[in-house]
Amino acid sequence: MSSLAVVVLDFGSQYTRLIARRLRELGAFSVILPGTASLEEILTHDPQAVVLSGGPASVQDPDAPKPDPKLFSSGLPILGICYGMQVLAQQFGGEVERGWRREYGKARLTHHEGALFQGLDGEVQVWMSHADTVTAPPPGWRVVAATEDCPIAAIASPDGRSFGVQFHPEVAHTPQGNRILANFLALAGVERDWTPARVLDSLVAEVRARTAGKRVLLGISGGVDSSALALLLSRAGVEHLAVLVDHGLLRQGEREEVEEALHSLGVNLEVVDARVRFLAALRGVTDPEEKRRRIGHAFIQVFEEVARRRGPFQVLAQGTLYPDAIESAGGTGAALIKSHHNVGGLPERLGFELLEPFRYLFKDEVRELARLLGLPDGIRLRHPFPGPGLAVRVLGEVTEERLQILRRADAIFVQGLKEHGLYHRVWQAFCVLLPVRSVGVSGDERRYGYVVALRGVTSVDGMTADWARLPHGFLDEMARRITRAVPQVGRVVYDVTSKPPATIEWE
Ligand code: XMP
């Protein structure tokens, strides 16, 4: 899989992951590395080109992050975007001036020329977000685009294979940005054969090579990632045991649905009923991070028991996705906001090797692979679900009674979304049970019932999210249906907070 890579060096731009996505949309496999990665590390991905992202620093600052100087004599074609262009300009002897005023927003190219801009139609709108500017191109480099406020908006290297652009071709506000990126890929000679079928072939090969002669243990959460991974192992003919731990924190009907689908697709699956153990571990606990810790610990115990009973296993497979990997590594500046779901500590404790074939994929890419692997749409397109499950959606102490209330309300909400054709228009939607009672009337009586919050968000990868504008009529129907069917619930509210500042989950 690595032989097709464009390495994107990240200098802290909010758009870095968009660059990677755009390149993949164009059929060029891309990997993000920290901006200061060594050339040796970059070369392990066998890249055909390198993109330098934007970033908040000024190249004038002595401690500004810079690429490994060896990169510039490596012969790799480079596209520098915004800060990345300034890095290129400075490196090759151009001039960069510190700007104290930020140019931010849409601009129009007043001039563009050359191969990077080939095939663009009509007026070319671009998105600008910068303070510093290149005021003189490096010797031998050509200025190939300008806007009214930015006379050096793009530069081309003497060999015509490296470029700097002051604007952001990766964002939607540069409508012809993909054309510009595609031109760069063509000029750099990057192969554009990143298709789901090819990815699947190379993953099958990778998994086979990594597990030859070894037995693999895999935790199944019920979501698309781990289910797809189980199917990948089956497809690769790898000897494995998939374990679905029913911790009692799953959604209504989830265990049965996963069990049925994976069995019918030939996955060697064991379901461990650990509901009593998890509930006991959570008794009296109200702190969200403590809940996560205890759940993680109980997971480890269950896996240790399975490994002892059914082992030995040499490899632990996990469905870690690219955003998880980036977030956990913290390498590109993302802070670890919540302790991570992947069963932390398990590989070290049991002496497992870790196998994470999806570590470079985004969720929609895994969904595409899952389609090729035959995963039913019910699981394939299901909204993401946190590892600690409903424990972080029952706020405060988790009890069986509260779980049951939440499960019923949640099933009604999810069903309602599907009936109204809204389910696939949101990234994630679920109910949260609040640990407060609110007053209501029922007949002549005042009653105190639970409050259920409905949460629906739109998002690309869960890192940022906007609250979903669900129709009022639909919300009204949900409130009626939930309070009617679940008598313990006295009030239903809708969460209208985006991420940031809120997170998607309430705990
Ligand atoms: P937040 O709540 O941090 O969630 O905005 C972002 C995405 O991650 C999921 N999430 C988790 N997943 N273990 C997981 O496996 C967790 O502890 C966890 N916390 C949040 C959340 O559902 C959303 O998709």
Side-chain angles (χ1 to χ4, degrees):
M1 187 142 94
S2 58
S3 66
L4 309 170
V6 175
V7 166
V8 180
L9 293 182
D10 176 33
F11 293 99
S13 164
Q14 58 178 322
Y15 304 133
T16 302
R17 284 197 291 151
L18 260 181
I19 301 173
R21 290 185 68 85
R22 293 278 176 251
L23 294 172
R24 290 177 182 201
E25 278 165 27
L26 292 166
F29 179 54
S30 57
V31 176
I32 300 172
L33 295 180
T36 53
S38 67
L39 180 64
E40 291 72 33
E41 193 182 346
I42 294 172
L43 293 180
T44 60
H45 294 273
D46 202 7
Q48 296 172 320
V50 172
V51 176
L52 311 180
S53 82
S58 166
V59 291
Q60 313 286 10
D61 292 339
D63 51 359
K66 297 276 174 62
D68 183 341
K70 293 197 291 290
L71 171 67
F72 300 107
S73 49
S74 67
L76 284 167
I78 301 173
L79 174 66
I81 296 176
C82 195
Y83 175 79
M85 170 185 182
Q86 292 151 15
V87 168
L88 273 182
Q90 190 190 49
Q91 172 67 30
F92 288 100
E95 276 171 33
V96 181
E97 235 169 55
R98 203 185 260 279
W100 302 107
R101 201 173 54 82
R102 196 165 191 80
E103 182 188 11
Y104 183 81
K106 292 176 187 167
R108 194 175 52 81
L109 294 188
T110 48
H111 165 77
H112 61 80
E113 65 179 59
L116 188 64
F117 297 99
Q118 200 174 16
L120 300 193
D121 298 323
E123 185 176 290
V124 181
Q125 179 194 302
V126 297
W127 182 255
M128 288 287 192
S129 172
H130 66 113
D132 291 3
T133 47
V134 176
T135 47
W141 288 56
R142 283 179 309 127
V143 177
V144 289
T147 69
E148 202 160 308
D149 291 332
C150 182
I152 304 182
I155 52 177
S157 68
D159 71 359
R161 294 174 75 226
S162 290
F163 301 88
V165 289
Q166 185 55 68
F167 56 88
H168 289 273
E170 70 276 20
V171 306
H173 297 303
T174 303
Q176 302 191 65
N178 267 15
R179 178 81 239 177
I180 296 169
L181 291 173
N183 286 339
F184 169 68
L185 293 175
L187 294 163
V190 173
E191 287 168 47
R192 286 175 48 185
D193 48 5
W194 164 265
T195 62
R198 241 200 104 141
V199 175
L200 185 57
D201 285 347
S202 65
L203 288 181
V204 165
E206 178 189 337
V207 163
R208 276 193 193 132
R210 286 274 322 272
T211 59
K214 297 175 184 159
R215 294 187 69 223
V216 181
L217 183 62
L218 160 68
I220 296 285
S221 69
V224 58
D225 316 331
S226 56
S227 302
L229 183 49
L231 296 183
L232 176 68
L233 294 176
S234 294
R235 169 76 64 104
V238 170
E239 195 186 344
H240 68 278
L241 175 66
V243 177
L244 171 63
V245 180
D246 181 356
H247 48 20
L249 307 167
L250 298 173
R251 289 167 286 193
Q252 194 160 292
E254 193 160 21
R255 166 178 166 174
E256 295 74 17
E257 195 183 346
V258 171
E259 220 174 338
E260 202 181 301
L262 294 191
H263 271 146
S264 70
L265 288 162
V267 173
N268 181 21
L269 177 72
E270 173 174 335
V271 180
V272 179
D273 188 339
R275 288 178 290 182
V276 173
R277 180 198 294 246
F278 278 83
L279 211 55
L282 289 168
R283 191 165 303 133
V285 182
T286 54
D287 177 65
E289 283 302 282
E290 183 60 21
K291 285 183 188 176
R292 283 185 168 83
R293 262 193 298 282
R294 295 207 182 191
I295 290 168
H297 190 70
F299 262 120
I300 289 180
Q301 287 180 337
V302 172
F303 274 93
E304 278 177 346
E305 285 163 18
V306 173
R308 232 176 285 132
R309 195 159 38 79
R310 307 278 309 262
F313 298 95
Q314 293 78 33
V315 177
L316 180 76
Q318 290 194 332
T320 314
L321 297 189
Y322 202 29
D324 306 331
I326 298 175
E327 211 173 39
S328 303
T332 53
L336 187 61
I337 296 170
K338 288 175 182 168
S339 63
H340 249 274
H341 53 288
N342 294 329
V343 185
L346 193 59
E348 298 85 56
R349 271 179 68 160
L350 294 185
F352 285 147
E353 287 168 44
L354 200 54
L355 178 71
E356 295 179 315
F358 300 152
R359 67 197 175 285
Y360 289 123
L361 302 183
F362 290 97
K363 191 146 212 119
D364 49 348
E365 293 169 335
V366 170
R367 284 187 167 137
E368 201 46 42
L369 287 182
R371 192 176 60 73
L372 297 178
L373 288 163
L375 192 67
D377 280 357
I379 300 174
R380 190 174 75 84
L381 301 175
R382 178 183 278 163
H383 292 168
F385 187 60
L390 300 183
V392 291
R393 295 180 181 173
V394 168
L395 303 199
E397 189 181 357
V398 180
T399 64
E400 184 52 40
E401 186 214 2
R402 291 177 176 187
L403 284 168
Q404 275 179 21
I405 295 170
L406 177 61
R407 230 179 252 125
R408 293 176 64 194
D410 189 69
I412 293 168
F413 183 36
V414 169
Q415 179 60 28
L417 287 160
K418 289 181 177 164
E419 286 167 11
H420 287 260
L422 295 165
Y423 185 79
H424 297 301
R425 293 175 51 192
V426 295
W427 160 264
Q428 215 173 352
F430 52 87
C431 289
V432 180
L433 188 72
L434 308 195
V436 289
R437 303 292 180 108
S438 152
V439 71
V441 285
S442 164
D444 297 335
E445 263 180 80
R446 282 167 79 80
R447 274 195 331 134
Y448 289 88
Y450 277 106
V451 180
V452 160
L454 309 182
R455 180 73 160 145
V457 296
T458 55
S459 177
V460 176
D461 54 16
M463 295 288 286
T464 59
D466 197 6
W467 62 276
R469 272 43 172 189
L470 295 175
H472 289 176
F474 170 73
L475 293 172
D476 176 60
E477 183 187 324
M478 289 301 102
R480 288 170 200 279
R481 277 167 68 173
I482 289 170
T483 48
R484 204 178 312 129
V486 194
Q488 298 94 326
V489 176
R491 194 175 292 265
V492 175
V493 298
Y494 188 55
D495 181 353
V496 291
T497 333
S498 292
K499 173 185 180 178
T503 49
I504 296 175
E505 303 289 346
W506 276 43
E507 278 196 341

